[in-house]
Amino acid sequence: MTTSVQLAAQFRATAVEMSHRAGAAHLASAMSCIDMVAALYHSVLKVDPARPQWEERDRFILSKGHAATALYAALAYKGFIKPEDLLTYGKAGSLLEEHPTPRLPGVETATGSLGHGLACGIGMALAARIQQRSYRTFVLMSDGECNEGSVWESALFASANKLGSLTAFVDFNKWQATGRSREVLGLDPLAEKFRSFGWNVHEIDGHDHAAILAAVADTRADQPTMVVAHTVKGKGVSFMEDDNNWHYRIPTVEEVQSAKAELGVL
């Protein structure tokens, strides 16, 4: 049986190939969050590809929509889309757009304009309470996204409404498009900020699958949970790791082969 760690390596190889084939950017941003996506889709999310609109399904929102290749690899793994659909990524007429669209089965809402995914997730979590449903809602954000005031307004609303069924992640890879996140705005101390806003907070290594699973299991009935996940942009491929040029760079044929060799996926 494939483990979530093995699955993450496969997802990374898929993301590298998709970026190369489509000539699409944001590869390194996908690589940093893939362990969280793989762990959730492997071991946590209650979803059914045969019933993508099942009312009791868990909701997952990739708020950092520019990392869409990570989500598409997961949707193919779960059977929401066919593996050959990945070949259409970024092509005219494909539903696998460079930012996710809810027209694609398994995608809950359109994301890409940063700062809105958390508010959408809060709405879904609140709806679960009102409709007396048991599903959980998960939101995965970027650290640069925390520049947006809408994130903090949403954080205050979630704690005020004691949304215990909501778990959010910040993929804290320390980079955004134009520079170090900590140099653009004063994010630190990020975990303490969410804690002071009334959240149940975990601060973990975002590439440690056991830590990811432990964090999503340790929730509170009367508090939303925030997982501040320390990650490395471009994780998994040595010549991409912590190099912000890969925010926009496209891998060559040779670099795709080198990356897959490092990932052990040939």
Side-chain angles (χ1 to χ4, degrees), residues 136-158:
R136 296 179 65 185
T137 301
F138 299 85
V139 179
L140 199 163
M141 301 185 292
S142 68
D143 52 357
E145 187 171 357
C146 293
N147 293 359
E148 305 285 349
S150 55
V151 168
W152 299 103
E153 181 180 357
S154 299
L156 289 168
F157 183 93

Side-chain angles (χ1 to χ4, degrees), residues 80-142:
F80 284 98
I81 59 176
K82 300 174 182 175
E84 54 265 35
D85 291 335
L86 298 174
L87 302 175
T88 71
Y89 168 61
K91 292 186 177 179
S94 173
L95 291 180
L96 277 67
E97 301 174 3
E98 290 191 41
H99 293 79
T101 169
R103 292 183 297 158
L104 187 69
V107 175
E108 296 292 343
T109 188
T111 52
S113 181
L114 297 174
H116 301 294
L118 184 58
C120 290
I122 286 169
M124 293 173 188
L126 190 59
R129 175 188 295 165
I130 293 169
Q131 297 172 355
Q132 298 184 326
R133 300 199 180 279
S134 60
Y135 68 79
R136 296 179 65 185
T137 301
F138 299 85
V139 179
L140 199 163
M141 301 185 292
S142 68

